Amino acid sequence: MTEMTERQQYDLKRQIEELKSCRGKHTELISLYVPPNKQISDVTSYLKNEFSQSQNIKSKTTRKNVLSAIESILSRIKMYRQPPENGIVFFVGHKSIGSDQTEMVAFVVEPPMPISIFLYRCDSEFFVEPLQEMLVEKEIYGLLLIDRRECTVGILRGNRVDLLKYMTSQVPGKHGKGGQSQRRFERLTEIAAHEWFVKCGEKASEIFLNDESIKGIFVGGPGPTKHYFIDENYLHYEIQDKIVEIFDTGYTDEYGLRELVSAASETMLTLKISQQKNIMKRFLKEVTKAEGSLAVYGESHVRRALTMGGLDTLLLSDGLRKYRITLTCPACHYEEHHTLDEETLSASESGICPHCATPTKMEITEKIDLIDELSDLADQTGCVVKLISQNSEEGDALFSAFGGIAGIARYPLGI
Ligand SMILES: [Zn+2]
């Protein structure tokens, strides 16, 4: 199971936003999902069939638009001998640009996670649900239920619970059958229990150590046994460190896994937010330091710190909607870089080259999402990038008080 990086999630989210903003005047926007195992030749013949079907569309404009969209996909898909690793999605059609005008758009998306369906849809909007599905949190947690009778090991991926191991013990109950002396019976019982815990600890550790993507582990079971099992360190120390919380459950079997997940659901929800909150708290503490502060904020300061290689963590608000553009002079190739948001971008009028003063205006030669551009800079210097959502007080502060761009330096930079 592959997991998306924060960056891939962000890029996909923006891609979906762009797709969703497209509207067709009629049902003339085509979405085509091709899973990795699909033969390109099958897709081609499917499209050719759709092409002849679409000849029957009554409205002349719609027919023309649909046919040209299918043709466009056909010519694009020819470039592939087989679908890419995770499959490929085509979004093609004439989007409405107001006052009865349309404009042909074509997006080819190679998603960060595999596509599982083959799907062709012609509608007045692009069909993005399968891509949105990929953004649903698929965090992975380990589940462990234990008492003296049973032990169940499971994994939670998103909403899916998988039972991986169910074991039962030979540990006798608390009370002897008579015949043996009570002390001897208790001693044998404790030895058997110890062996049972060792076995469970080894098995659970083996399973959990095998999956590095496990974010945390929840432990459950009735009574005090689970606490004893944890306190006596029957689990591998790395697994022990991943324990998030221990809950009381009535059962220690498959049903108990469900109980455990429902008990842990609130904790899981706050966990992700709290990681972001903690890093923001670290930053805000640096901001208030009078001397030797590691806080850096504002785009130009953060940019300088990144270029110096002095930034340890880059904090970016996921509400940031800005672009880094490059203006180039067509005559002397002099370049300028600017940061603009959606509004200033559409209103911006590029000027005349200050270098050679050719009357021809400078042209936009590159436009990148600011988050992508800064993340690239960070990657080059081993700086960690954290995308901070706005749905916490701290996340909101990053956006409103610090312009959505901040960082924690490796050492005091004095900038
Ligand atoms: Zn010039």
Side-chain angles (χ1 to χ4, degrees):
M1 163 109 16
T2 47
E3 243 199 305
M4 268 190 274
T5 62
E6 278 190 356
R7 176 81 178 278
Q8 285 174 320
Q9 289 183 23
Y10 172 79
D11 287 342
L12 185 59
K13 204 167 124 189
R14 289 303 312 270
Q15 177 80 72
I16 293 170
E17 278 178 17
E18 186 169 14
L19 291 164
K20 279 173 89 171
S21 72
C22 299
R23 285 276 180 278
K25 280 191 69 202
H26 305 281
T27 53
E28 52 190 49
L29 297 185
I30 296 177
S31 312
L32 175 71
Y33 285 75
V34 182
N37 55 359
K38 189 84 179 170
Q39 299 281 333
I40 294 291
S41 55
D42 289 351
V43 183
T44 308
S45 40
Y46 185 95
L47 286 172
K48 282 180 178 160
N49 183 46
E50 280 299 331
F51 190 85
S52 53
Q53 298 278 319
S54 306
Q55 311 274 6
N56 305 325
I57 296 173
K58 290 205 176 65
S59 150
K60 197 185 156 200
T61 344
T62 310
R63 181 171 68 237
K64 199 177 124 254
N65 288 348
V66 169
L67 291 177
S68 73
I70 297 178
E71 271 180 329
S72 160
I73 301 177
L74 272 166
S75 75
R76 277 163 213 275
I77 205 158
K78 260 194 232 151
M79 319 277 201
Y80 296 86
R81 283 184 53 206
Q82 61 191 57
E85 201 185 349
N86 291 327
I88 191 161
V89 199
F90 298 90
F91 297 98
V92 183
H94 286 74
K95 73 165 184 185
S96 158
I97 49 169
S99 64
D100 237 27
Q101 299 285 302
T102 61
E103 180 188 77
M104 173 89 156
V105 286
F107 305 92
V108 181
V109 180
E110 287 188 31
M113 289 178 84
I115 297 164
S116 50
I117 42 155
F118 175 74
L119 182 142
Y120 172 94
R121 186 168 292 191
C122 188
D123 207 336
S124 57
E125 51 192 51
F126 287 128
F127 181 66
V128 295
E129 276 74 3
L131 294 183
Q132 264 169 334
E133 269 290 288
M134 292 178 188
L135 286 176
V136 174
E137 284 301 334
K138 291 216 172 49
E139 301 212 305
I140 300 172
Y141 289 95
L143 307 169
L144 174 66
L145 295 161
I146 189 158
D147 67 2
R148 290 162 75 100
R149 308 294 313 169
E150 289 178 315
C151 174
T152 305
V153 182
I155 293 257
L156 175 72
R157 295 175 202 280
N159 297 320
R160 208 179 82 219
V161 178
D162 289 324
L163 188 152
L164 300 181
K165 185 80 187 171
Y166 172 73
M167 296 178 280
T168 53
S169 81
Q170 304 298 322
V171 182
K174 292 272 186 194
H175 304 287
K177 290 181 188 122
Q180 309 175 58
S181 84
Q182 190 59 25
R183 262 192 70 194
R184 183 175 148 74
F185 174 79
E186 277 172 13
R187 210 169 64 83
L188 287 175
T189 304
E190 283 327 299
I191 291 171
H194 172 70
E195 282 168 357
W196 162 244
F197 293 146
V198 169
K199 184 181 160 194
C200 295
E202 283 175 359
K203 195 67 213 174
S205 300
E206 186 195 318
I207 291 171
F208 293 146
L209 282 170
N210 217 355
D211 198 338
E212 276 178 32
S213 51
I214 290 179
K215 291 257 159 73
I217 291 164
F218 293 105
V219 180
T225 307
K226 54 186 181 295
H227 294 289
Y228 176 82
F229 176 80
I230 300 301
D231 293 344
E232 295 297 310
N233 297 309
Y234 282 105
L235 288 165
H236 188 279
Y237 70 95
E238 284 177 34
I239 298 307
Q240 196 87 14
D241 284 349
K242 284 193 177 179
I243 294 173
V244 181
E245 213 168 335
I246 302 171
F247 293 96
D248 279 315
T249 62
Y251 296 84
T252 39
D253 56 4
E254 191 165 13
Y255 183 77
L257 288 180
R258 295 267 157 214
E259 279 186 285
L260 183 57
V261 168
S262 97
S265 61
E266 202 172 314
T267 309
M268 288 185 281
L269 208 68
T270 48
L271 216 58
K272 198 185 166 87
I273 293 292
S274 75
Q275 284 163 358
Q276 296 186 0
K277 279 174 86 126
N278 285 343
I279 188 117
M280 275 305 295
K281 277 184 184 149
R282 222 180 99 202
F283 165 76
L284 292 169
K285 207 176 138 193
E286 289 298 330
V287 170
T288 56
K289 274 190 192 168
E291 251 176 86
S293 168
L294 298 177
V296 184
Y297 48 89
E299 189 192 337
S300 61
H301 286 176
V302 168
R303 198 175 281 285
R304 252 179 78 199
L306 278 171
T307 330
M308 288 163 68
L311 209 61
D312 176 72
T313 309
L314 173 64
L315 304 166
L316 297 169
S317 167
D318 73 353
L320 207 61
R321 292 287 177 270
K322 288 187 174 174
Y323 300 94
R324 188 72 174 166
I325 62 153
T326 306
L327 289 175
T328 311
C329 166
C332 75
H333 304 293
Y334 163 81
E335 281 186 357
E336 263 177 21
H337 304 278
H338 299 279
T339 299
L340 301 171
D341 59 27
E342 300 273 7
E343 278 167 36
T344 48
L345 185 67
S346 55
S348 80
E349 176 87 358
S350 48
I352 282 164
C353 173
H355 194 68
C356 70
T358 306
T360 330
K361 281 184 176 168
M362 293 178 71
E363 291 163 358
I364 295 181
T365 47
E366 200 176 13
K367 175 191 162 195
I368 330 174
D369 190 299
L370 188 62
I371 287 187
D372 282 334
E373 194 247 349
L374 291 174
S375 300
D376 279 342
L377 268 179
D379 287 348
Q380 286 163 22
T381 52
C383 168
V384 180
V385 183
K386 290 280 169 202
L387 284 174
I388 310 287
S389 77
Q390 281 172 267
N391 52 18
S392 74
E393 203 184 311
E394 291 82 359
D396 193 48
L398 175 65
F399 184 76
S400 45
F402 299 96
I405 306 169
I408 302 169
R410 295 184 208 271
Y411 44 86
L413 296 171
I415 55 173

